[in-house]
Amino acid sequence: QGGGSAVIDMENMDDTSGSSFEDMGEMHQRMKEEEEEEAEGEAGAAEEDEDGEFLGVKGLRGQLGRQVADQMWQAGKRQASRAFSLYANIDILRPYFDVEPVQVRARLLESMIPVKMINFPQKIAGELYGPLMLVFTLVAILLHGMKTSDTIIREGTLMGTAIGTCFGYWLGVSSFIYFLAYLCNAQITLVQMLSLLGYGLFGHCITLFVTYNIHFHSLFYIFWLGVGGLSTLRMVAVLLSRTVGHTQRLVLCGSLAALHMLFLLYLHFAYHKVVEGILDTLEGPNVPPFQRVARDIPVVSSAVLNTTAKAVALTL
């Protein structure tokens, strides 16, 4: 030791100091595994991106499908709500038909009593039950009058014509007079006009019912001027109390009186003939069925028969 030679104690050496082939191999293996893990991670990320794009297309389609389904559901829901709200719509009309029979009877009597009060607006019942029943009563009276006049026609055509005539007059004339009232600045609503004209048909019902069973023209004219005139004067008095201005009153009340009285004349004299003419146009004239008529056969002489037989025999 002291002569300058170096002695290395191998036992005191640390095996971990320095590098070896085994350490290099392990490091290489670890690096390779890390690269493989990185490659797998990149491949997984790429697959996730592709899956994300695919899922995005599928998600868009699913969203569109849900929107279409929501729209269909909303449309069906709206239709169902409209169907279920029909009862609520009927409730809107209920106040116009909520009336007691005693009130209807009193208003029928009032429709035949003119009231001379034009300084203040007269009260008009805002209900439609009584006028509607009077229109149907007038239809029944027209049917009765057609049957008592020995008119043989089909029931369906007869009833349809009567309903069309009565309802057409009630709705059409009410709308026309309401339009004139609007132009003349009269204080009346459409429902009040329908009620006023409907109760005014009470005089028509009485006149036609009596004159269809008792066929006297003089009796009809008495009822036409008396009963029909009273109901017309009642309506005229109501309109006079709700209209301002002489010209406006003359136009409005004159139109209503003329239409109402002429309609009663039409129902008594011309309605049957018009209906019969319509039915003849639709069904055609009543032509009797064809019948077989015996005809005389002329007598053929024997000479002609013999000549014809010889000609046929020669031909054969």
Side-chain angles (χ1 to χ4, degrees), residues 94-157:
R94 182 174 295 176
Y96 302 110
F97 294 91
D98 187 10
V99 62
E100 297 294 333
V102 179
Q103 296 177 348
V104 175
R105 183 180 61 186
R107 288 164 184 170
L108 288 175
L109 295 177
E110 290 176 357
S111 65
M112 303 296 298
I113 303 174
V115 179
K116 188 179 179 181
M117 184 181 66
I118 60 176
N119 295 326
F120 299 97
Q122 297 184 22
K123 186 178 180 181
I124 303 175
E127 52 95 6
L128 300 177
Y129 175 77
L132 188 63
M133 293 299 104
L134 282 173
V135 173
F136 280 117
T137 304
L138 185 59
V139 170
I141 292 173
L142 291 179
L143 295 176
H144 173 70
M146 293 295 289
K147 290 181 179 179
T148 55
S149 63
D150 297 331
T151 304
I152 303 174
I153 53 179
R154 293 184 301 178
E155 283 293 328
T157 306

Short mmCIF file of all heavy atoms in Angstrom, two decimals, residues 94-157:
data_model
loop_
_atom_site.label_atom_id
_atom_site.label_comp_id
_atom_site.label_asym_id
_atom_site.label_seq_id
_atom_site.Cartn_x
_atom_site.Cartn_y
_atom_site.Cartn_z
N ARG A 94 -125.60 30.53 -23.62
CA ARG A 94 -126.58 30.20 -22.58
C ARG A 94 -127.34 31.41 -22.06
O ARG A 94 -128.57 31.31 -21.84
CB ARG A 94 -125.87 29.48 -21.44
CG ARG A 94 -126.79 29.04 -20.31
CD ARG A 94 -126.04 28.22 -19.30
NE ARG A 94 -125.57 26.97 -19.86
CZ ARG A 94 -124.82 26.09 -19.20
NH1 ARG A 94 -124.46 26.34 -17.95
NH2 ARG A 94 -124.43 24.98 -19.78
N PRO A 95 -126.74 32.59 -21.86
CA PRO A 95 -127.53 33.74 -21.37
C PRO A 95 -128.66 34.15 -22.30
O PRO A 95 -129.67 34.70 -21.85
CB PRO A 95 -126.49 34.86 -21.23
CG PRO A 95 -125.19 34.15 -21.06
CD PRO A 95 -125.30 32.92 -21.89
N TYR A 96 -128.51 33.89 -23.62
CA TYR A 96 -129.56 34.28 -24.57
C TYR A 96 -130.75 33.33 -24.55
O TYR A 96 -131.79 33.64 -25.15
CB TYR A 96 -128.99 34.35 -25.99
CG TYR A 96 -127.83 35.32 -26.12
CD1 TYR A 96 -126.54 34.85 -26.35
CD2 TYR A 96 -128.02 36.69 -26.01
CE1 TYR A 96 -125.47 35.73 -26.46
CE2 TYR A 96 -126.97 37.58 -26.12
CZ TYR A 96 -125.69 37.09 -26.35
OH TYR A 96 -124.65 37.96 -26.46
N PHE A 97 -130.62 32.17 -23.92
CA PHE A 97 -131.70 31.19 -23.87
C PHE A 97 -132.13 30.89 -22.43
O PHE A 97 -132.94 29.99 -22.22
CB PHE A 97 -131.27 29.90 -24.57
CG PHE A 97 -131.04 30.06 -26.03
CD1 PHE A 97 -129.79 30.39 -26.52
CD2 PHE A 97 -132.08 29.90 -26.94
CE1 PHE A 97 -129.57 30.54 -27.88
CE2 PHE A 97 -131.87 30.05 -28.30
CZ PHE A 97 -130.61 30.38 -28.77
N ASP A 98 -131.58 31.60 -21.48
CA ASP A 98 -131.92 31.38 -20.08
C ASP A 98 -133.11 32.28 -19.74
O ASP A 98 -132.95 33.45 -19.34
CB ASP A 98 -130.71 31.70 -19.19
CG ASP A 98 -130.96 31.33 -17.73
OD1 ASP A 98 -131.97 30.66 -17.46
OD2 ASP A 98 -130.13 31.71 -16.87
N VAL A 99 -134.31 31.77 -19.93
CA VAL A 99 -135.52 32.55 -19.72
C VAL A 99 -136.61 31.63 -19.19
O VAL A 99 -136.65 30.44 -19.52
CB VAL A 99 -135.97 33.23 -21.04
CG1 VAL A 99 -136.30 32.21 -22.10
CG2 VAL A 99 -137.14 34.16 -20.80
N GLU A 100 -137.48 32.17 -18.37
CA GLU A 100 -138.58 31.42 -17.79
C GLU A 100 -139.80 31.45 -18.73
O GLU A 100 -139.99 32.42 -19.48
CB GLU A 100 -138.97 32.01 -16.44
CG GLU A 100 -137.88 31.92 -15.39
CD GLU A 100 -137.57 30.49 -15.00
OE1 GLU A 100 -138.49 29.64 -15.10
OE2 GLU A 100 -136.43 30.21 -14.59
N PRO A 101 -140.61 30.40 -18.72
CA PRO A 101 -141.82 30.41 -19.58
C PRO A 101 -142.77 31.56 -19.28
O PRO A 101 -143.45 32.07 -20.19
CB PRO A 101 -142.47 29.05 -19.25
CG PRO A 101 -141.35 28.19 -18.78
CD PRO A 101 -140.42 29.10 -18.06
N VAL A 102 -142.82 31.99 -18.03
CA VAL A 102 -143.69 33.13 -17.68
C VAL A 102 -143.21 34.39 -18.39
O VAL A 102 -144.03 35.20 -18.88
CB VAL A 102 -143.71 33.32 -16.15
CG1 VAL A 102 -144.58 34.51 -15.79
CG2 VAL A 102 -144.21 32.06 -15.46
N GLN A 103 -141.91 34.59 -18.46
CA GLN A 103 -141.38 35.76 -19.15
C GLN A 103 -141.67 35.70 -20.64
O GLN A 103 -141.98 36.73 -21.26
CB GLN A 103 -139.88 35.86 -18.90
CG GLN A 103 -139.51 36.10 -17.45
CD GLN A 103 -138.00 36.10 -17.23
OE1 GLN A 103 -137.23 35.72 -18.10
NE2 GLN A 103 -137.58 36.57 -16.05
N VAL A 104 -141.56 34.51 -21.23
CA VAL A 104 -141.86 34.37 -22.65
C VAL A 104 -143.32 34.70 -22.92
O VAL A 104 -143.67 35.39 -23.90
CB VAL A 104 -141.51 32.95 -23.13
CG1 VAL A 104 -141.94 32.76 -24.58
CG2 VAL A 104 -140.02 32.70 -22.99
N ARG A 105 -144.22 34.22 -22.07
CA ARG A 105 -145.64 34.50 -22.26
C ARG A 105 -145.92 36.00 -22.15
O ARG A 105 -146.69 36.56 -22.94
CB ARG A 105 -146.45 33.73 -21.22
CG ARG A 105 -147.96 33.88 -21.35
CD ARG A 105 -148.66 33.07 -20.28
NE ARG A 105 -148.28 33.55 -18.94
CZ ARG A 105 -148.64 32.94 -17.82
NH1 ARG A 105 -149.38 31.83 -17.88
NH2 ARG A 105 -148.26 33.42 -16.65
N ALA A 106 -145.30 36.66 -21.17
CA ALA A 106 -145.50 38.10 -21.03
C ALA A 106 -144.97 38.87 -22.24
O ALA A 106 -145.61 39.83 -22.71
CB ALA A 106 -144.82 38.58 -19.75
N ARG A 107 -143.84 38.43 -22.78
CA ARG A 107 -143.29 39.12 -23.96
C ARG A 107 -144.11 38.87 -25.21
O ARG A 107 -144.17 39.74 -26.09
CB ARG A 107 -141.84 38.69 -24.16
CG ARG A 107 -140.90 39.27 -23.10
CD ARG A 107 -139.57 38.57 -23.05
NE ARG A 107 -138.75 39.10 -21.95
CZ ARG A 107 -137.61 38.56 -21.54
NH1 ARG A 107 -137.14 37.46 -22.14
NH2 ARG A 107 -136.95 39.10 -20.54
N LEU A 108 -144.73 37.71 -25.30
CA LEU A 108 -145.64 37.46 -26.42
C LEU A 108 -146.83 38.41 -26.39
O LEU A 108 -147.25 38.94 -27.42
CB LEU A 108 -146.11 36.01 -26.40
CG LEU A 108 -145.08 34.94 -26.78
CD1 LEU A 108 -145.67 33.56 -26.60
CD2 LEU A 108 -144.59 35.12 -28.21
N LEU A 109 -147.37 38.63 -25.21
CA LEU A 109 -148.49 39.57 -25.08
C LEU A 109 -148.03 41.00 -25.34
O LEU A 109 -148.76 41.79 -25.97
CB LEU A 109 -149.12 39.44 -23.70
CG LEU A 109 -149.79 38.10 -23.38
CD1 LEU A 109 -150.30 38.08 -21.94
CD2 LEU A 109 -150.92 37.82 -24.36
N GLU A 110 -146.85 41.35 -24.88
CA GLU A 110 -146.34 42.70 -25.10
C GLU A 110 -146.06 42.97 -26.57
O GLU A 110 -146.11 44.13 -27.01
CB GLU A 110 -145.06 42.92 -24.29
CG GLU A 110 -145.28 42.99 -22.79
CD GLU A 110 -143.98 43.10 -22.03
OE1 GLU A 110 -142.90 43.06 -22.69
OE2 GLU A 110 -144.01 43.21 -20.78
N SER A 111 -145.75 41.92 -27.35
CA SER A 111 -145.46 42.13 -28.77
C SER A 111 -146.70 42.55 -29.56
O SER A 111 -146.56 42.99 -30.70
CB SER A 111 -144.89 40.84 -29.37
OG SER A 111 -145.86 39.81 -29.36
N MET A 112 -147.90 42.41 -28.95
CA MET A 112 -149.13 42.82 -29.63
C MET A 112 -149.67 44.15 -29.10
O MET A 112 -150.75 44.59 -29.53
CB MET A 112 -150.20 41.73 -29.44
CG MET A 112 -149.80 40.36 -29.93
SD MET A 112 -149.54 40.31 -31.71
CE MET A 112 -151.17 40.72 -32.28
N ILE A 113 -148.95 44.78 -28.20
CA ILE A 113 -149.43 46.03 -27.58
C ILE A 113 -148.44 47.15 -27.90
O ILE A 113 -147.36 47.21 -27.30
CB ILE A 113 -149.59 45.87 -26.06
CG1 ILE A 113 -150.54 44.71 -25.75
CG2 ILE A 113 -150.10 47.16 -25.43
CD1 ILE A 113 -150.64 44.39 -24.27
N PRO A 114 -148.75 48.04 -28.83
CA PRO A 114 -147.84 49.16 -29.11
C PRO A 114 -147.84 50.15 -27.95
O PRO A 114 -148.87 50.44 -27.34
CB PRO A 114 -148.44 49.80 -30.37
CG PRO A 114 -149.41 48.80 -30.90
CD PRO A 114 -149.89 48.00 -29.75
N VAL A 115 -146.67 50.65 -27.63
CA VAL A 115 -146.50 51.61 -26.54
C VAL A 115 -146.11 52.95 -27.16
O VAL A 115 -145.08 53.04 -27.85
CB VAL A 115 -145.44 51.14 -25.54
CG1 VAL A 115 -145.28 52.18 -24.43
CG2 VAL A 115 -145.85 49.79 -24.95
N LYS A 116 -146.91 53.98 -26.90
CA LYS A 116 -146.63 55.30 -27.46
C LYS A 116 -145.70 56.06 -26.52
O LYS A 116 -146.11 56.87 -25.70
CB LYS A 116 -147.93 56.06 -27.66
CG LYS A 116 -147.75 57.36 -28.42
CD LYS A 116 -149.07 58.07 -28.62
CE LYS A 116 -148.87 59.39 -29.37
NZ LYS A 116 -150.15 60.12 -29.57
N MET A 117 -144.42 55.73 -26.64
CA MET A 117 -143.39 56.40 -25.82
C MET A 117 -142.12 56.47 -26.67
O MET A 117 -141.42 55.47 -26.85
CB MET A 117 -143.13 55.63 -24.53
CG MET A 117 -142.14 56.33 -23.61
SD MET A 117 -141.80 55.39 -22.10
CE MET A 117 -140.96 53.96 -22.78
N ILE A 118 -141.91 57.66 -27.21
CA ILE A 118 -140.76 57.82 -28.11
C ILE A 118 -139.71 58.75 -27.54
O ILE A 118 -138.66 58.96 -28.16
CB ILE A 118 -141.22 58.34 -29.49
CG1 ILE A 118 -141.90 59.70 -29.33
CG2 ILE A 118 -142.13 57.33 -30.16
CD1 ILE A 118 -142.29 60.33 -30.67
N ASN A 119 -139.97 59.33 -26.37
CA ASN A 119 -138.97 60.23 -25.78
C ASN A 119 -137.84 59.47 -25.11
O ASN A 119 -136.73 60.01 -24.99
CB ASN A 119 -139.65 61.16 -24.77
CG ASN A 119 -140.65 62.10 -25.42
OD1 ASN A 119 -140.45 62.53 -26.55
ND2 ASN A 119 -141.74 62.40 -24.71
N PHE A 120 -138.11 58.27 -24.64
CA PHE A 120 -137.10 57.45 -23.97
C PHE A 120 -137.00 56.11 -24.69
O PHE A 120 -138.02 55.59 -25.18
CB PHE A 120 -137.45 57.25 -22.50
CG PHE A 120 -137.52 58.52 -21.72
CD1 PHE A 120 -138.74 59.15 -21.49
CD2 PHE A 120 -136.37 59.11 -21.22
CE1 PHE A 120 -138.81 60.32 -20.77
CE2 PHE A 120 -136.43 60.29 -20.49
CZ PHE A 120 -137.66 60.89 -20.28
N PRO A 121 -135.81 55.53 -24.78
CA PRO A 121 -135.67 54.22 -25.45
C PRO A 121 -136.46 53.13 -24.71
O PRO A 121 -136.32 52.95 -23.50
CB PRO A 121 -134.16 53.95 -25.39
CG PRO A 121 -133.54 55.29 -25.18
CD PRO A 121 -134.51 56.08 -24.36
N GLN A 122 -137.28 52.43 -25.46
CA GLN A 122 -138.04 51.34 -24.87
C GLN A 122 -137.15 50.11 -24.68
O GLN A 122 -136.21 49.87 -25.44
CB GLN A 122 -139.24 50.98 -25.75
CG GLN A 122 -140.24 52.11 -25.90
CD GLN A 122 -141.45 51.68 -26.70
OE1 GLN A 122 -141.75 50.49 -26.80
NE2 GLN A 122 -142.17 52.66 -27.26
N LYS A 123 -137.47 49.33 -23.69
CA LYS A 123 -136.67 48.15 -23.35
C LYS A 123 -136.96 47.03 -24.33
O LYS A 123 -138.10 46.77 -24.69
CB LYS A 123 -136.97 47.70 -21.92
CG LYS A 123 -136.09 46.57 -21.44
CD LYS A 123 -136.41 46.21 -20.00
CE LYS A 123 -135.53 45.07 -19.52
NZ LYS A 123 -135.83 44.68 -18.11
N ILE A 124 -135.89 46.34 -24.76
CA ILE A 124 -135.99 45.19 -25.67
C ILE A 124 -135.38 43.98 -24.98
O ILE A 124 -134.26 44.06 -24.44
CB ILE A 124 -135.27 45.44 -27.01
CG1 ILE A 124 -135.84 46.69 -27.68
CG2 ILE A 124 -135.42 44.24 -27.93
CD1 ILE A 124 -135.12 47.07 -28.95
N ALA A 125 -136.08 42.89 -24.99
CA ALA A 125 -135.56 41.66 -24.37
C ALA A 125 -134.40 41.12 -25.19
O ALA A 125 -134.52 40.92 -26.40
CB ALA A 125 -136.66 40.61 -24.28
N GLY A 126 -133.27 40.90 -24.52
CA GLY A 126 -132.08 40.40 -25.21
C GLY A 126 -131.97 38.89 -25.15
O GLY A 126 -130.91 38.37 -24.81
N GLU A 127 -133.04 38.18 -25.45
CA GLU A 127 -133.01 36.71 -25.46
C GLU A 127 -133.55 36.20 -26.78
O GLU A 127 -134.31 36.88 -27.47
CB GLU A 127 -133.80 36.14 -24.27
CG GLU A 127 -135.21 36.66 -24.13
CD GLU A 127 -136.22 35.76 -24.79
OE1 GLU A 127 -135.82 34.66 -25.25
OE2 GLU A 127 -137.40 36.14 -24.87
N LEU A 128 -133.17 34.98 -27.14
CA LEU A 128 -133.51 34.40 -28.44
C LEU A 128 -134.35 33.14 -28.34
O LEU A 128 -134.65 32.54 -29.37
CB LEU A 128 -132.22 34.08 -29.21
CG LEU A 128 -131.29 35.26 -29.50
CD1 LEU A 128 -130.03 34.78 -30.20
CD2 LEU A 128 -132.00 36.31 -30.35
N TYR A 129 -134.71 32.73 -27.13
CA TYR A 129 -135.49 31.50 -26.99
C TYR A 129 -136.90 31.68 -27.57
O TYR A 129 -137.37 30.87 -28.38
CB TYR A 129 -135.58 31.10 -25.52
CG TYR A 129 -136.46 29.91 -25.28
CD1 TYR A 129 -136.01 28.62 -25.56
CD2 TYR A 129 -137.75 30.07 -24.78
CE1 TYR A 129 -136.83 27.53 -25.35
CE2 TYR A 129 -138.57 28.98 -24.56
CZ TYR A 129 -138.11 27.71 -24.84
OH TYR A 129 -138.93 26.62 -24.64
N GLY A 130 -137.58 32.76 -27.16
CA GLY A 130 -138.92 33.01 -27.68
C GLY A 130 -138.96 33.22 -29.19
O GLY A 130 -139.78 32.59 -29.88
N PRO A 131 -138.09 34.07 -29.77
CA PRO A 131 -138.09 34.22 -31.23
C PRO A 131 -137.80 32.92 -31.98
O PRO A 131 -138.42 32.65 -33.01
CB PRO A 131 -136.98 35.25 -31.46
CG PRO A 131 -136.94 36.04 -30.20
CD PRO A 131 -137.24 35.08 -29.11
N LEU A 132 -136.88 32.11 -31.46
CA LEU A 132 -136.56 30.85 -32.14
C LEU A 132 -137.76 29.91 -32.13
O LEU A 132 -138.07 29.26 -33.15
CB LEU A 132 -135.37 30.20 -31.46
CG LEU A 132 -134.77 28.96 -32.16
CD1 LEU A 132 -134.23 29.34 -33.53
CD2 LEU A 132 -133.67 28.35 -31.30
N MET A 133 -138.47 29.84 -31.01
CA MET A 133 -139.66 28.99 -30.94
C MET A 133 -140.76 29.51 -31.86
O MET A 133 -141.51 28.73 -32.46
CB MET A 133 -140.15 28.92 -29.50
CG MET A 133 -139.22 28.20 -28.55
SD MET A 133 -138.92 26.46 -29.01
CE MET A 133 -137.26 26.58 -29.71
N LEU A 134 -140.88 30.82 -31.99
CA LEU A 134 -141.89 31.38 -32.89
C LEU A 134 -141.56 31.08 -34.35
O LEU A 134 -142.47 30.82 -35.16
CB LEU A 134 -141.98 32.90 -32.69
CG LEU A 134 -142.78 33.35 -31.45
CD1 LEU A 134 -142.65 34.85 -31.25
CD2 LEU A 134 -144.25 32.97 -31.60
N VAL A 135 -140.28 31.08 -34.70
CA VAL A 135 -139.90 30.74 -36.08
C VAL A 135 -140.24 29.28 -36.37
O VAL A 135 -140.79 28.95 -37.44
CB VAL A 135 -138.40 31.01 -36.30
CG1 VAL A 135 -137.96 30.49 -37.66
CG2 VAL A 135 -138.12 32.50 -36.21
N PHE A 136 -139.96 28.38 -35.44
CA PHE A 136 -140.32 26.98 -35.64
C PHE A 136 -141.83 26.80 -35.66
O PHE A 136 -142.35 25.94 -36.39
CB PHE A 136 -139.70 26.12 -34.53
CG PHE A 136 -138.25 25.80 -34.76
CD1 PHE A 136 -137.29 26.25 -33.88
CD2 PHE A 136 -137.85 25.06 -35.86
CE1 PHE A 136 -135.95 25.96 -34.07
CE2 PHE A 136 -136.51 24.77 -36.07
CZ PHE A 136 -135.56 25.21 -35.17
N THR A 137 -142.55 27.57 -34.88
CA THR A 137 -144.02 27.51 -34.92
C THR A 137 -144.54 27.96 -36.28
O THR A 137 -145.48 27.36 -36.83
CB THR A 137 -144.60 28.40 -33.81
OG1 THR A 137 -144.09 27.98 -32.54
CG2 THR A 137 -146.11 28.30 -33.78
N LEU A 138 -143.95 29.00 -36.83
CA LEU A 138 -144.35 29.46 -38.16
C LEU A 138 -144.07 28.40 -39.21
O LEU A 138 -144.86 28.21 -40.16
CB LEU A 138 -143.63 30.76 -38.49
CG LEU A 138 -144.00 31.45 -39.80
CD1 LEU A 138 -145.48 31.80 -39.81
CD2 LEU A 138 -143.15 32.70 -40.01
N VAL A 139 -142.96 27.68 -39.07
CA VAL A 139 -142.66 26.57 -39.99
C VAL A 139 -143.74 25.50 -39.91
O VAL A 139 -144.24 24.99 -40.93
CB VAL A 139 -141.27 25.98 -39.67
CG1 VAL A 139 -141.04 24.69 -40.45
CG2 VAL A 139 -140.17 26.98 -39.99
N ALA A 140 -144.15 25.15 -38.69
CA ALA A 140 -145.19 24.13 -38.52
C ALA A 140 -146.52 24.60 -39.11
O ALA A 140 -147.26 23.80 -39.71
CB ALA A 140 -145.34 23.81 -37.04
N ILE A 141 -146.83 25.88 -38.97
CA ILE A 141 -148.08 26.39 -39.53
C ILE A 141 -148.05 26.36 -41.05
O ILE A 141 -149.06 26.03 -41.71
CB ILE A 141 -148.34 27.82 -39.00
CG1 ILE A 141 -148.63 27.77 -37.50
CG2 ILE A 141 -149.50 28.47 -39.74
CD1 ILE A 141 -148.73 29.15 -36.86
N LEU A 142 -146.91 26.66 -41.65
CA LEU A 142 -146.79 26.58 -43.11
C LEU A 142 -146.96 25.14 -43.60
O LEU A 142 -147.61 24.89 -44.62
CB LEU A 142 -145.45 27.15 -43.56
CG LEU A 142 -145.26 28.66 -43.41
CD1 LEU A 142 -143.87 29.06 -43.88
CD2 LEU A 142 -146.31 29.42 -44.18
N LEU A 143 -146.39 24.19 -42.88
CA LEU A 143 -146.58 22.78 -43.24
C LEU A 143 -148.04 22.38 -43.14
O LEU A 143 -148.57 21.66 -43.99
CB LEU A 143 -145.71 21.90 -42.33
CG LEU A 143 -144.19 22.06 -42.46
CD1 LEU A 143 -143.49 21.18 -41.42
CD2 LEU A 143 -143.72 21.70 -43.85
N HIS A 144 -148.70 22.83 -42.08
CA HIS A 144 -150.12 22.54 -41.91
C HIS A 144 -150.94 23.16 -43.04
O HIS A 144 -151.88 22.55 -43.56
CB HIS A 144 -150.59 23.07 -40.55
CG HIS A 144 -152.06 22.98 -40.35
ND1 HIS A 144 -152.72 21.77 -40.18
CD2 HIS A 144 -153.04 23.94 -40.30
CE1 HIS A 144 -154.02 21.97 -40.02
NE2 HIS A 144 -154.23 23.29 -40.09
N GLY A 145 -150.59 24.38 -43.43
CA GLY A 145 -151.32 25.03 -44.52
C GLY A 145 -151.12 24.32 -45.85
O GLY A 145 -152.06 24.23 -46.65
N MET A 146 -149.95 23.80 -46.11
CA MET A 146 -149.73 23.07 -47.36
C MET A 146 -150.52 21.76 -47.38
O MET A 146 -151.02 21.33 -48.41
CB MET A 146 -148.23 22.78 -47.52
CG MET A 146 -147.39 24.02 -47.75
SD MET A 146 -147.74 24.86 -49.31
CE MET A 146 -147.06 23.70 -50.48
N LYS A 147 -150.64 21.11 -46.23
CA LYS A 147 -151.40 19.85 -46.19
C LYS A 147 -152.89 20.09 -46.32
O LYS A 147 -153.60 19.30 -46.94
CB LYS A 147 -151.09 19.12 -44.88
CG LYS A 147 -149.68 18.57 -44.82
CD LYS A 147 -149.42 17.83 -43.52
CE LYS A 147 -148.02 17.26 -43.49
NZ LYS A 147 -147.73 16.53 -42.22
N THR A 148 -153.40 21.17 -45.73
CA THR A 148 -154.83 21.46 -45.84
C THR A 148 -155.22 21.97 -47.22
O THR A 148 -156.40 21.99 -47.55
CB THR A 148 -155.23 22.50 -44.78
OG1 THR A 148 -154.42 23.67 -44.93
CG2 THR A 148 -155.07 21.93 -43.39
N SER A 149 -154.24 22.39 -48.03
CA SER A 149 -154.56 22.88 -49.37
C SER A 149 -154.50 21.78 -50.42
O SER A 149 -154.46 22.06 -51.62
CB SER A 149 -153.57 23.99 -49.77
OG SER A 149 -152.25 23.48 -49.82
N ASP A 150 -154.46 20.50 -49.98
CA ASP A 150 -154.46 19.33 -50.88
C ASP A 150 -153.28 19.34 -51.85
O ASP A 150 -153.40 19.01 -53.03
CB ASP A 150 -155.77 19.27 -51.69
CG ASP A 150 -156.98 19.08 -50.78
OD1 ASP A 150 -156.80 18.46 -49.70
OD2 ASP A 150 -158.07 19.55 -51.14
N THR A 151 -152.13 19.74 -51.34
CA THR A 151 -150.90 19.72 -52.13
C THR A 151 -150.14 18.45 -51.79
O THR A 151 -149.73 18.25 -50.65
CB THR A 151 -150.04 20.95 -51.83
OG1 THR A 151 -150.82 22.12 -52.08
CG2 THR A 151 -148.80 20.97 -52.71
N ILE A 152 -149.95 17.58 -52.77
CA ILE A 152 -149.27 16.30 -52.55
C ILE A 152 -147.83 16.44 -53.01
O ILE A 152 -147.54 16.46 -54.21
CB ILE A 152 -149.97 15.16 -53.32
CG1 ILE A 152 -151.44 15.07 -52.90
CG2 ILE A 152 -149.26 13.83 -53.09
CD1 ILE A 152 -152.23 14.07 -53.71
N ILE A 153 -146.95 16.58 -52.05
CA ILE A 153 -145.53 16.72 -52.35
C ILE A 153 -144.75 15.94 -51.31
O ILE A 153 -145.30 15.40 -50.35
CB ILE A 153 -145.09 18.20 -52.35
CG1 ILE A 153 -145.51 18.87 -51.05
CG2 ILE A 153 -145.66 18.93 -53.53
CD1 ILE A 153 -145.09 20.31 -50.94
N ARG A 154 -143.45 15.87 -51.52
CA ARG A 154 -142.61 15.13 -50.59
C ARG A 154 -142.39 15.93 -49.32
O ARG A 154 -142.22 17.15 -49.34
CB ARG A 154 -141.25 14.83 -51.25
CG ARG A 154 -141.37 13.87 -52.41
CD ARG A 154 -140.01 13.51 -52.96
NE ARG A 154 -139.31 14.70 -53.42
CZ ARG A 154 -138.07 14.68 -53.90
NH1 ARG A 154 -137.41 13.55 -53.97
NH2 ARG A 154 -137.49 15.80 -54.31
N GLU A 155 -142.33 15.20 -48.20
CA GLU A 155 -142.19 15.84 -46.90
C GLU A 155 -140.86 16.57 -46.75
O GLU A 155 -140.78 17.65 -46.21
CB GLU A 155 -142.32 14.80 -45.78
CG GLU A 155 -143.75 14.38 -45.51
CD GLU A 155 -144.59 15.49 -44.92
OE1 GLU A 155 -144.02 16.32 -44.18
OE2 GLU A 155 -145.78 15.55 -45.20
N GLY A 156 -139.78 15.92 -47.24
CA GLY A 156 -138.46 16.52 -47.07
C GLY A 156 -138.35 17.86 -47.77
O GLY A 156 -137.87 18.85 -47.22
N THR A 157 -138.83 17.94 -49.01
CA THR A 157 -138.75 19.18 -49.77
C THR A 157 -139.64 20.25 -49.14
O THR A 157 -139.27 21.42 -49.06
CB THR A 157 -139.15 18.92 -51.22
OG1 THR A 157 -138.36 17.87 -51.74
CG2 THR A 157 -138.96 20.16 -52.07
#
